[in-house]
Amino acid sequence: MKFLSFFASRLAKALVVVLGVVIINFFLIRMAPGDPAAVLAGQAGAGDPAYVEQLRVQFGLDQPVLTQLAIYLKGVAQLDLGFSYRNHVPVLDLILERLPATFLLMICAFLFSIILGVALGVVAAKARYANKRRWIDSTVMSGALLLYATPLFWLSLMGILLFSVTLGWLPAFGMETVGSKLTGMARVWDIAQHLVLPTVTLGCFFMAVYVRLTRASMLEVIGMDFVKTARAKGVPPARVIRAHVLRNALLPVITFAGIQLGQMAGGAVLTETVFAWPGIGRLMFDALLQRDYQLLLGIFLVTSIMVVAFNLITDMVYRFIDPRIAAGGKQGAAA
């Protein structure tokens, strides 16, 4: 019952956050300069004021802003995110078509960053605590700092120049080879090759954060009394690190991972644009250039739901790992 109460409380807060994001985004989009009806008329090669006014009526742009907001909120409640006048398809259909590619990129980048980041953080912490081979700790931390300070777009472009243009090892753009018509495992392998560069470049930034956080957490835990007691009892060093130190050191890492997973959705926008990855990040960029307001609002709504859902899942996982956390505890990731 306590868990259900905790989940219901977090879910209610998440819904309030999503509603607030929807309303704020709606007004921000309406404050942007430019008339989408005029843009659409210009793309159609017609500058007739009557035609522009017809488009405004067709897409509801002639209504008062509050009326437009009420109509939009009613549509969202019915899972109707509007119509993309630039692509001539419903917004929800267009987003659902691109969402799997974004999820694939985010999950691969997340797993790459957290697995490698935690592993390198453990190596650096062990080298630092043992006061031997200090160069390992210095090398790992310097590399993490360098990756953290490197702009994502620069890392992406350098990866393309080195591994695609110069060495020819990996494809540079797209999700799969155009016109290949591959099926089965051949198509899976083709997608995996296209996935390497976007995954590594997006994951390297977040990996650097996990390295530093894991190292700091382990060095804090490794000097505590219960770890010294386990060593005094003759517990093997590998088991001490795995069962006592790492398990407790991972708690702040898990909390931060939930927040970073939400931020990774924003980082995917730049990565998808550079690598021409057909996800919602690239779709958002195109919609911004085309002033496709309905599509932008739909993408903002979906990404905000993703961020809130990731934080909610993190709360559940954190509470499962550490049952000491009360329903209103401050250590869980905020929804």
Side-chain angles (χ1 to χ4, degrees), residues 65-127:
V65 176
L66 293 180
T67 304
Q68 295 182 41
L69 175 61
I71 295 174
Y72 181 71
L73 291 177
K74 181 180 178 181
V76 170
Q78 299 173 349
L79 297 181
D80 180 11
L81 304 185
F83 191 81
S84 172
Y85 59 81
R86 182 64 179 82
N87 297 276
H88 304 289
V89 293
V91 169
L92 185 59
D93 293 346
L94 193 57
I95 293 177
L96 292 179
E97 180 184 348
R98 298 289 192 96
L99 199 58
T102 297
F103 270 131
L104 178 62
L105 176 59
M106 286 179 57
I107 291 173
C108 292
F110 176 74
L111 293 177
F112 169 80
S113 62
I114 196 168
I115 292 174
L116 192 58
V118 169
L120 291 176
V122 171
V123 170
K126 289 175 65 176

Side-chain angles (χ1 to χ4, degrees), residues 235-282:
V235 179
R239 180 174 174 80
V240 171
I241 293 295
R242 183 180 65 255
H244 296 277
V245 179
L246 185 58
R247 182 176 180 181
N248 289 276
L250 282 180
L251 294 176
V253 176
I254 292 172
T255 302
F256 197 71
I259 300 174
Q260 290 291 335
L261 187 57
Q263 293 180 355
M264 196 170 284
V269 175
L270 182 58
T271 305
E272 289 179 3
T273 302
V274 173
F275 290 99
W277 189 263
I280 60 174
R282 176 69 183 275

Side-chain angles (χ1 to χ4, degrees), residues 21-42:
V21 169
V22 170
I23 295 175
I24 293 174
N25 285 335
F26 181 87
F27 285 109
L28 288 177
I29 289 294
R30 289 299 183 271
M31 291 171 60
D35 187 350
V39 174
L40 186 60

